[in-house]
Amino acid sequence: MANRLYLTGARLIDGTGGPPLERATVVIEQERVTGIDTSGESTPAGFAHIDLAGRTLMPGLVDAHVHVTAFDMPSVMKGQEAIAPEVKHHFIAAGLRRMLRMGITTVRDVGAFGDDLLYARRAVRLGAIPGPRILVCGRIIAATSAGGRHFAGMYREADGPDEMRKATREQFRRGADFIKIMTTGARSCELENSSPAQMTRAEIATVVEEAHRMGYRVAAHCEGLDGTRLAIEEGVDTIEHGLELHRAPELLDELARSERILVPTLSCFFDVSENRDAAWAPGLVGLAVRQREEAHRTVEAARRAGVPLAMGFDSQPHGKNALELVRLCRAGLTPMASIVAATTTGAMACGIAAHVGRVAPGQVADLVVVDGDPLADPELLLDGARIWLVIQSGRPVAGAALEASLPGLPFREAGVTTDPVPALAGRPVS
Ligand SMILES: [Zn+2]
């Protein structure tokens, strides 16, 4: 049956940063937005009408830096059944479902363990499980390094331009949507020094040349300034973290001039520096405190320089991705600028801004309707009860409105329940 929706009365934030449109009508036909107006005409025949008066309509959120498969599995007690690797697929699916429920309609995954995420991407595309659109990098391409051992299964280590080219081609073969490289080590691995450049200029140049010739974009993990500089000079498309860039205004100017994107990932520095479960090695916590300070200075300097910023949560739990949007606001962006980072600029980071990231005729109808005004109160994006409706490719797929048949029930964050009946094989349960 034809999918035709007529959404009326909303306050429309279109994702471009322009002023909101009051009492907007948004027309959806099949998968795309086909019209926007404010004339308030009644719903034409053949369209399903959804009244959005008092609510805000905006593009579905794009998270430009996630690790969908990087989460802690539940621990089991002695004597309990071990959790087979195959069970992890269901947890991956649960994480994707939570993200979609919270209005995240596209994610760019910048590093996954093994091929699990490729299977999840396939399952989402086939409609087997609900989830955001997923862009994958295959394996992260890195120099032979301690990180390659620490993040076993996530990296493809390679040394010298020829191996780098081969490693890049392997990701095309695997089905990558883009290429991710490590220009520096990772702060989250105690054995790595994230200050010096870990890849050589020639290695980075080779990956970028190979990827761009074949039509792929390149994302670069950048902590220390030396690797960040090489990435920018050799044409990488998105700078991930980039926290030391405030020290090099000329590099920020170059990013702004060439309209390349910085993904500041403030949340990952909060995670390690706050060290809530006392889980992190002490040396890394101290480093993260300093890096968090630098990352905030870089957001401020990048904003002043006019660098496009994209929202990347790079953190857990899945579904709370908009916490990064809130943190960008606290770091000095206006709520509107933070929303642009989480929509239009995120889509640019993904290379799919021609299709998603804005509410405009011709764009795919990935939309989120929220209760209230996120410009006045961005934190409402963290409240599932206020994520009223999520529309994906023109179809309502999630949100409080779809759960409202029994109003007043508490929003279930996790979407997971455990069975109170014990698993005691072969024993009667009295
Ligand atoms: Zn990351």
Side-chain angles (χ1 to χ4, degrees), residues 65-67 109-111 140 154 180 182 187-188 221 240-241 265 268 313-315:
H65 189 126
V66 299
H67 299 278
D109 190 287
V110 290
I140 298 173
M154 189 182 273
K180 166 84 180 288
M182 299 295 288
R187 73 203 167 280
S188 50
H221 174 103
E240 312 300 313
H241 319 301
T265 66
C268 71
F313 185 37
D314 193 17
S315 192

